[in-house]
Amino acid sequence: MSKLSDYETVKSKFKYLFELYDLPEPKVIRKALKTDPCDVTDPPNEVRINTQDCDEDYQARHLFGHYLADLHLIDDQSDVVADIIADMILDSKRHLKWGRKREQVMRESIKFKEYMEELEDGSK
């Protein structure tokens, strides 16, 4: 049984995507209205986040896709395009993580090589 998403968690993950891609955030990010409980994107002014029965990371990426493409008004294709953007973000996150990991491995390798050379020289 899945649980309702947490507004604060989705908001935090949503805001992180703006930071990650160095984009300006919406002017207002708030909880969806009780009278209109849907997620709403209205670039650049407002985003309303609903507590849905879904994964918070997915919901943040999906909302980000809607916001970027400004597709909320095009009902028949907006979810398809927002899902594509959400998947692209997930793939780029994996690539970014691998890129950082590869850089770390390279730095460690260089440090180890320098250490070994110092041992061979007798300077350590």
Side-chain angles (χ1 to χ4, degrees):
M1 180 180 210
S2 55
K3 64 177 183 72
L4 291 179
S5 62
D6 177 64
Y7 162 74
E8 289 297 332
T9 303
V10 174
K11 179 180 177 182
S12 174
K13 290 175 182 266
F14 180 71
K15 289 178 74 158
Y16 171 75
L17 292 169
F18 285 92
E19 185 180 317
L20 179 66
Y21 294 103
D22 196 25
L23 296 169
E25 288 181 16
K27 292 175 185 163
V28 175
I29 302 172
R30 66 183 171 101
K31 204 169 197 173
L33 304 172
K34 290 181 182 176
T35 55
D36 182 13
C38 297
D39 285 335
V40 173
T41 58
D42 180 24
N45 301 314
E46 182 178 23
V47 169
R48 285 183 243 155
I49 301 171
N50 182 26
T51 51
Q52 300 178 13
D53 187 18
C54 68
D55 176 69
E56 287 133 349
D57 189 53
Y58 164 77
Q59 185 179 0
R61 288 184 288 112
H62 183 83
L63 227 112
F64 188 73
H66 274 287
Y67 184 84
L68 285 183
D70 192 17
L71 292 172
H72 204 278
L73 298 176
I74 309 169
D75 291 332
D76 59 341
Q77 292 299 311
S78 63
D79 279 334
V80 173
V81 175
D83 281 340
I84 290 168
I85 291 171
D87 290 342
M88 289 169 62
I89 291 167
L90 183 61
D91 289 342
S92 78
K93 281 172 130 180
R94 288 182 186 134
H95 179 72
L96 288 172
K97 282 181 184 174
W98 166 242
R100 282 190 220 116
K101 182 72 172 173
R102 189 177 63 208
E103 285 177 27
Q104 180 183 359
V105 168
M106 292 297 286
R107 278 195 299 274
E108 297 291 327
S109 175
I110 290 168
K111 284 181 188 175
F112 180 73
K113 183 178 177 187
E114 289 170 353
Y115 175 76
M116 293 304 289
E117 287 172 356
E118 288 173 0
L119 281 179
E120 289 174 4
D121 291 348
S123 59
K124 280 252 178 191

